[in-house]
């Protein structure tokens, strides 16, 4: 069960690290979440 991330809703997550292909966000108990570069705002 996903307690930290609510599917279908907006979630505010903290950037953990930046890589060439996107950003990894802190998903709490669910682990890091990859946000691909094409979805990262300028």
């Amino acid at each position: 069960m996903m307690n930290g991330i609510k599917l279908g809703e907006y979630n505010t997550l903290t950037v953990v690290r930046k890589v060439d292909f996107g950003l990894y966000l802190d998903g709490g108990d669910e682990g890091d979440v990859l946000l691909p570069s094409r979805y990262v705002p300028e």
Side-chain angles (χ1 to χ4, degrees), residues 10-35:
Y10 286 100
N11 294 270
T12 302
L13 304 175
T14 304
V15 174
V16 176
R17 65 186 175 279
K18 182 178 180 181
V19 291
D20 292 338
F21 47 87
L23 301 174
Y24 279 99
L25 309 174
D26 181 7
D29 292 340
E30 307 307 322
D32 292 348
V33 177
L34 174 62
L35 181 63

